[in-house]
Amino acid sequence: MGVAGHSPLDATPQNDLEELLLGKRASLNPLFNPKTVAVIDAPEQPGTVGYKVLSALLNSPIGDAVFPVDRNRSRVMAVQAFPKISAVPAAVDLAVIASPKEYLSEIIGECAEALVKAAIVLSDGVSGCGEEDSGLGHRISEQLKGSRLRVLGPGSLGVINPHTELNATPGLPMPLGGSVAFVSQSIALGGAILEWSLKEIVGFSAFVHVGSMLDVGWGDLIDYFGSDPRTQTILLHIVTMGNVRSFLSAAREVSLKKPIIVIKAGRSQATARAMVWQLDGGADDEVLDAAFRRVGVLRVDTINDLFFTADALSKQPRPKGPRLMVVSNASGPEVLAADSVVAMGGELAELSPEGRREFDSVLPVHVSQRAGGDVRDDGNPEAYVKAVEIAARDSNCDGLLLVTVPQAFSDPRKATELLLNMRDTAGKPVLACLLGGSTAAKEEIVTRACIPTLPSPHTAARVFSYMWRYSYNLRGIYETPMFRSDGPEQVLRQLATNIVDSARDGGRSTLTEVEAISLLAAYGISTVTTRLAGNEEEAVRIASEIGFPVELQIVCDGGAAAVAMDGMPLDLFDAENVRSAWKMIMRRLEGSTEAGHRFAMALQPKQRGQCYDLRIASKLDPQLGPVLLFGLGGTMSNVFRDHAVGLPPLNATLARRVMERTRIYRVLHGADGHAHVDLAELEGMLVRFSELMVEQPWIRELEINLSAGRNSLLARSTRIEVHGPEVRREQLPRPAIRPYPIQYVSSWVMKDGQAVTIRPIRAEDEPLMIKFHERLSDRSVYLRYFQGMALDQRTTHDQLTRICFIDYDREIALVAERRDPHTEERRIIALGNLTKMHRGNDGEIAAITSDDCQGRGLGSEMMRRLLRVARDENLERVIGTTLPENRQMCAMLKRLGFRISVNLDDNLVEGELLLRS
């Protein structure tokens, strides 16, 4: 039994619920598909922005529904004008505002009162991006509260919809219709791209210039184009990020369905200083790259990369590996192409022995041993395409680059037919580079075969590298991670919190060694036994008790932090070494600036066997919150900048991805395939470290130096800095990715006395969800999804990804988990979903219970928990929908206080519950 929402496989909501279910997505429809447009305060001086926009709209297919609004003139461009927006004799979908900025607040207020649905503000000079330092921007934001008016800009050039021939811009050229949505933040670049698209015959589903993003931002537009059936690829040119969390939340949801490709200025330190946000130490761009990877966004470096990669991803399957095979009908171009693959950091694929034998059997002429093949076809298209087919089937090949000179297409029609047939069976991306001679006929051939053509082998290799990076990143995000324990118990979390609070209450910004060790232990991070010595004799005694060899380093008295001194830590092998080291350090400290401070010596046992120095650290970014860093540690970390950045929280798969981006990982992994350290345990440590970062928000900086061996992984030194008592909680930056909501984890007892844990779902739950669906009856499935759905349809990885890999900012899915008292086997017996509507204050709930656990009160409890979560998430209204024949659920909705109505058109029972009056 279950309360059902709409099927997750049904992308088209019921018509009467469309605006509710799509929220902000539907709210942008009038921006791109208006039926009526008002242009406010457009001057009649030719050449002005307002004049150009009004002229373009009046001469468009929607021209008869364009209404000038001007408080001083009765006619504009020989068309009747109206003094106010409220005087327009039709409901206005879109208002284009060309007014001076001092009138903006008043005019937007009038638009909101007149129930205008969308507005484009051409006026510049108003602060956006969520900033509140502009009084005008703040007043406009206040005007928008409580209304459904969505505002693009200020400082926007407008929008273009080629499919409806809407051009609400100041004279920008109308591009061809296509499947690419291009969103730009640069005025000059936007116009140049439209001109370029006409020359290169690139079609758009929409063009948008965002302006300063006072209201409509990156996240809104990604959401909209993610649902737009005409858009297959989303391209973004970004200057400033604006609301980063909104961007990442939207991108995380959309990137699995459609590629999002970004070009962003500001990679260098010099340009970064002009950007809106920056991480201490100048690593802002590195952190932003990590954020893009975390949500499946592909970042490219040039405008050509942007469109070439979009074209390739729209026409070809994503590569399953990094190996690119080059097939050419001339040895010179083949070698150049192979060099380009290597230069781009790619892997050059070579034919397997089986493929080589097949190649030789059909092509008895000379075959290059360097790459895929040198096919001397002498104008024979059959021979060339046969070679391509062999390469495509080869197990060593993840993608093909076809480098050809004219003779391969001496019979263009035949070559086209063969390539079309090969396209359907390859299952791997195929790119082409056509060299020499007239290219028009050749390009028509490969275009008909949906094979992207690139201007040079270097460009082709670069595009394939981007395609593999995109595929690799998505795989890491949505690959089912290995299950690990549920993290620290609540009592341990509270212990860690108490340690941090005690330091802050005492006015300290640095934790002592004992506090740091206790905090790490609460999160399962083991530390090397460390003992402090206050004098020479005590140091000798402690070293003897620990057992030689030992390591010695200086710390402030109390163990607050290690003191920087060349040559530390020292490796000591006997008591005499300890005495000599103590005397040497004391002499150096006497002449140092720290002589007025008290110091102690920290002694640790020297790790035996081969060990590697590693470093795990975190800092706070003002917009992205906690940022994790992993890489080489020890003294060499200052010489070799070998580290990778990730955004918490991490699971095991994401932790491995961070590790793989460092050079030290290749050493740890072992060239012979035998790991030199326990990589699974290292993954687990990164996961626990990321949990610590997001669950202890008062920690400002945390750095651990690790000693990693084949059988040990220990923190040798730790530095933990916390925010002082002057910092308020609301000043702390939130994590860019919302962490696992542990506050919703609790136990409950069913009517039959069996205990269950009700908690938010995790990515690791995918295997349990498969077993859950295996135990559902056809009737339960029908009542939940309003249609019959086969088991294999419900349990595909892509389908379960949408359930298990969720953004907790957008949806909270609760599962009821029961453990077998004898085997401790975990089993999910119920699933409930709270989906937040994109308008922000409404939600939809749904629940389903395993057939063998129905009638025990679990379904009602799941619904009550979902309502409790909805209140905690500050929702104002929730809806629940079920079928009339599901009488038990209809009765449950009534008991929970829902107002029930029957939708006879759709044969549905719809419940509505107001959570706040």
Side-chain angles (χ1 to χ4, degrees):
M1 69 182 178
V3 168
H6 298 283
S7 165
L9 299 180
D10 183 5
T12 304
Q14 303 296 324
N15 292 334
D16 59 336
L17 293 176
E18 180 176 2
E19 187 172 356
L20 172 64
L21 293 176
L22 291 181
K24 287 183 180 178
R25 298 178 186 183
S27 73
L28 294 189
N29 280 334
L31 188 63
F32 297 96
N33 299 287
K35 295 182 175 59
T36 54
V37 180
V39 181
I40 303 175
D41 290 341
E44 283 203 288
Q45 292 87 2
T48 60
V49 171
Y51 180 94
K52 291 179 180 179
V53 173
L54 179 57
S55 177
L57 287 169
L58 288 173
N59 290 289
S60 71
I62 201 177
D64 292 339
V66 175
F67 303 94
V69 175
D70 195 297
R71 67 194 70 197
N72 299 317
R73 294 174 292 172
S74 60
R75 300 188 72 80
V76 176
M77 292 188 187
V79 178
Q80 181 184 359
F82 301 88
K84 286 189 174 183
I85 190 75
S86 57
V88 174
V92 176
D93 289 335
L94 174 64
V96 180
I97 303 173
S99 310
K101 67 178 182 179
E102 54 264 29
Y103 300 115
L104 280 182
S105 177
E106 176 186 350
I107 289 172
I108 287 176
E110 292 174 358
C111 288
E113 291 179 6
L115 302 182
V116 176
K117 297 176 182 177
I120 299 171
V121 179
L122 304 175
S123 310
D124 206 348
V126 181
S127 202
C129 302
E131 299 174 9
E132 305 240 345
D133 56 339
S134 164
L136 177 57
H138 181 67
R139 290 198 300 275
I140 293 174
S141 297
E142 289 297 314
Q143 296 274 21
L144 295 176
K145 287 182 179 179
S147 79
R148 297 197 175 186
L149 174 64
R150 302 307 311 277
V151 174
L152 181 68
S156 170
L157 281 182
V159 303
I160 299 176
N161 184 343
H163 294 287
T164 63
E165 298 184 56
L166 171 74
N167 189 342
T169 70
L172 295 180
M174 175 68 72
L176 301 172
S179 62
V180 173
F182 182 65
V183 186
S184 177
Q185 203 174 15
S186 165
I187 294 176
L189 181 63
I193 288 297
L194 292 176
E195 297 282 1
W196 175 88
S197 72
L198 293 171
K199 178 182 177 183
E200 298 295 327
I201 317 179
V202 174
F204 292 105
S205 61
F207 167 84
V208 191
H209 179 259
V210 296
S212 56
M213 300 186 295
L214 188 68
D215 176 37
V216 174
W218 300 115
D220 299 303
L221 292 165
I222 291 171
D223 271 328
Y224 177 80
F225 291 122
S227 300
D228 177 25
R230 288 195 177 106
T231 299
Q232 299 303 316
T233 307
I234 302 170
L235 306 185
L236 309 176
H237 174 261
I238 297 176
V239 178
T240 58
M241 286 300 302
N243 188 333
V244 177
R245 188 160 180 167
S246 172
F247 175 98
L248 297 179
S249 179
R252 186 179 179 189
E253 182 170 302
V254 172
S255 62
L256 186 62
K257 300 180 294 184
K258 300 178 181 181
I260 302 173
I261 308 175
V262 167
I263 181 171
K264 184 188 179 298
R267 280 197 180 275
S268 70
Q269 291 292 320
T271 55
R273 284 192 290 271
M275 298 299 100
V276 165
W277 66 280
Q278 184 173 358
L279 181 70
D280 283 344
D284 58 346
D285 199 71
E286 187 177 37
V287 176
L288 186 58
D289 274 344
F292 286 152
R293 283 192 299 268
R294 187 70 161 79
V295 296
V297 169
L298 176 64
R299 183 177 184 179
V300 299
D301 293 326
T302 69
I303 294 296
N304 282 339
D305 290 342
L306 196 69
F307 287 95
F308 286 143
T309 307
D311 183 50
L313 286 171
S314 68
K315 292 178 179 178
Q316 293 290 306
R318 299 199 300 263
K320 297 179 181 178
R323 301 167 299 179
L324 180 63
M325 186 172 290
V326 179
V327 178
S328 178
N329 64 338
S331 58
E334 178 201 5
V335 174
L336 290 175
D339 287 341
S340 295
V341 174
V342 175
M344 286 303 302
E347 293 186 28
L348 184 61
E350 296 187 10
L351 287 167
S352 65
E354 297 79 8
R356 179 67 63 185
R357 285 191 292 271
E358 189 176 1
F359 217 68
D360 291 340
S361 68
V362 297
L363 298 168
V365 295
H366 170 71
V367 176
S368 169
Q369 297 295 316
R370 174 150 189 184
D374 170 10
V375 185
R376 306 292 176 80
D377 60 81
D378 297 325
N380 181 357
E382 288 89 350
Y384 184 82
V385 175
K386 185 66 176 177
V388 173
E389 289 177 340
I390 294 170
R393 291 196 304 267
D394 196 278
S395 59
N396 284 353
C397 171
D398 297 312
L400 286 175
L401 171 55
L402 312 182
V403 182
T404 65
V405 293
Q407 63 263 31
F409 296 106
S410 58
D411 186 348
R413 185 181 301 275
K414 184 66 173 178
T416 301
E417 293 173 355
L418 294 171
L419 284 173
L420 283 169
N421 292 334
M422 189 277 299
R423 179 196 65 187
D424 297 330
T425 59
K428 301 173 183 178
V430 179
L431 308 178
C433 178
L434 311 178
L435 304 174
S438 175
T439 62
K442 296 184 291 182
E443 290 186 0
E444 180 183 358
I445 292 169
V446 292
T447 299
R448 285 179 56 196
C450 286
I451 297 176
T453 59
L454 289 310
S456 70
H458 181 80
T459 302
R462 187 179 180 90
V463 168
F464 180 81
S465 175
Y466 282 127
M467 293 176 74
W468 164 238
R469 188 188 307 172
Y470 174 69
S471 182
Y472 176 80
N473 288 343
L474 280 185
R475 184 190 300 176
I477 296 169
Y478 296 108
E479 181 179 296
T480 305
M482 182 185 303
F483 171 76
R484 295 191 179 276
S485 63
D486 296 332
E489 299 290 340
Q490 183 58 39
V491 64
L492 294 177
R493 287 191 177 94
Q494 189 58 51
L495 171 64
T497 300
N498 292 342
I499 291 171
V500 174
D501 290 345
S502 176
R504 297 184 70 245
D505 292 343
R508 291 186 289 114
S509 61
T510 303
L511 299 191
T512 67
E513 186 79 15
V514 173
E515 289 172 330
I517 289 173
S518 299
L519 190 145
L520 294 183
Y523 284 86
I525 299 175
S526 301
T527 58
V528 177
T529 301
T530 302
R531 297 177 63 180
L532 299 180
N535 55 60
E536 181 179 335
E537 293 305 319
E538 188 177 11
V540 173
R541 178 178 57 79
I542 290 174
S544 301
E545 292 173 355
I546 290 176
F548 293 102
V550 298
E551 290 185 355
L552 180 147
Q553 61 182 340
I554 316 166
V555 297
C556 292
D557 192 23
V563 176
M565 183 178 286
D566 293 340
M568 292 292 162
L570 296 173
D571 294 343
L572 309 174
F573 295 91
D574 54 33
E576 189 59 34
N577 286 161
V578 174
R579 294 184 186 279
S580 299
W582 185 277
K583 291 181 174 63
M584 180 269 292
I585 292 172
M586 287 297 102
R587 285 196 301 271
R588 295 177 66 177
L589 286 176
E590 286 174 1
S592 71
T593 57
E594 295 92 355
H597 295 272
R598 296 177 61 196
F599 297 98
M601 303 298 174
L603 292 99
Q604 298 175 340
K606 173 71 175 176
Q607 294 297 102
R608 301 182 183 277
Q610 186 177 28
C611 291
Y612 300 91
D613 290 324
L614 304 176
R615 175 174 172 247
I616 304 176
S618 73
K619 284 190 175 184
L620 286 179
D621 177 79
Q623 284 195 322
L624 292 171
V627 176
L628 178 147
L629 181 146
F630 168 83
L632 179 67
T635 56
M636 298 305 292
S637 62
N638 296 323
V639 180
F640 301 103
R641 193 172 181 269
D642 180 26
H643 66 261
V645 171
L647 295 186
L650 302 178
N651 57 37
T653 300
L654 294 172
R656 179 67 68 98
R657 286 288 194 257
V658 173
M659 292 158 54
E660 287 174 346
R661 289 197 299 274
T662 63
R663 295 187 296 275
I664 188 62
Y665 175 79
R666 292 191 285 272
V667 177
L668 303 178
H669 189 271
D672 57 357
H674 297 289
H676 295 166
V677 302
D678 188 338
L679 294 177
E681 179 58 27
L682 186 55
E683 286 173 17
M685 179 175 285
L686 283 178
V687 171
R688 296 189 294 274
F689 185 89
S690 74
E691 291 172 348
L692 189 162
M693 291 166 60
V694 296
E695 291 175 10
Q696 304 298 331
W698 293 111
I699 293 179
R700 184 168 56 87
E701 291 187 17
L702 197 165
E703 182 174 349
I704 302 175
N705 286 295
L706 298 173
S707 178
R710 191 179 297 275
N711 299 310
S712 65
L713 186 62
L714 297 170
R716 300 197 65 81
S717 64
T718 304
R719 180 178 59 85
I720 301 179
E721 304 285 337
V722 299
H723 291 284
E726 73 283 357
V727 179
R728 301 187 306 273
R729 182 172 289 273
E730 58 269 21
Q731 293 177 298
L732 299 176
R734 296 187 302 166
I737 306 296
R738 181 172 174 177
Y740 186 76
I742 58 175
Q743 67 269 30
Y744 300 134
V745 179
S746 61
S747 57
W748 186 71
V749 179
M750 295 191 292
K751 290 180 179 179
D752 62 359
Q754 292 191 61
V756 298
T757 298
I758 299 178
R759 59 170 176 80
I761 202 167
R762 297 176 296 212
E764 293 90 337
D765 289 324
E766 184 176 341
L768 296 182
M769 286 302 302
I770 294 175
K771 294 181 179 179
F772 171 69
H773 278 278
E774 289 173 349
R775 290 187 289 266
L776 293 176
S777 67
D778 291 341
R779 176 169 174 76
S780 292
V781 172
Y782 173 75
L783 293 178
R784 169 61 179 89
Y785 300 115
F786 302 169
Q787 61 181 327
M789 294 171 60
L791 177 62
D792 58 359
Q793 185 183 13
R794 304 193 312 268
T795 56
T796 64
H797 176 64
D798 286 345
Q799 180 60 31
L800 290 178
T801 289
R802 305 177 193 180
I803 298 173
C804 300
F805 295 76
I806 60 174
D807 181 348
Y808 299 116
D809 265 342
R810 293 177 171 238
E811 180 178 6
I812 302 288
L814 299 179
V815 295
E817 178 187 295
R818 185 175 66 187
R819 290 180 183 259
D820 187 292
H822 304 292
T823 66
E824 287 295 311
E825 180 185 3
R826 301 161 58 245
R827 177 184 168 192
I828 288 176
I829 57 176
L831 170 69
N833 297 81
L834 169 67
T835 303
K836 301 176 185 178
M837 304 312 165
H838 292 274
R839 192 163 51 217
N841 294 319
D842 295 325
E844 184 184 22
I845 60 174
I848 184 170
T849 305
S850 182
D851 288 69
D852 59 351
C853 294
Q854 294 177 10
R856 306 181 192 183
L858 183 56
S860 297
E861 182 63 20
M862 294 294 289
M863 292 292 287
R864 282 192 288 268
R865 294 291 182 102
L866 291 172
L867 293 177
R868 195 179 308 160
V869 171
R871 291 186 176 93
D872 289 346
E873 298 289 316
N874 296 316
L875 298 187
E876 296 179 353
R877 177 175 62 159
V878 295
I879 62 171
T881 310
T882 191
L883 297 170
E885 57 263 42
N886 196 345
R887 297 178 180 177
Q888 202 169 0
M889 290 300 101
C890 293
M892 180 191 297
L893 289 174
K894 290 180 180 178
R895 288 197 305 272
L896 292 172
F898 282 77
R899 181 173 59 85
I900 302 299
S901 62
V902 179
N903 185 330
L904 296 177
D905 292 335
D906 298 318
N907 191 34
L908 294 174
V909 174
E910 298 171 353
E912 178 188 45
L913 179 64
L914 297 179
L915 301 179
R916 288 188 285 173
S917 58

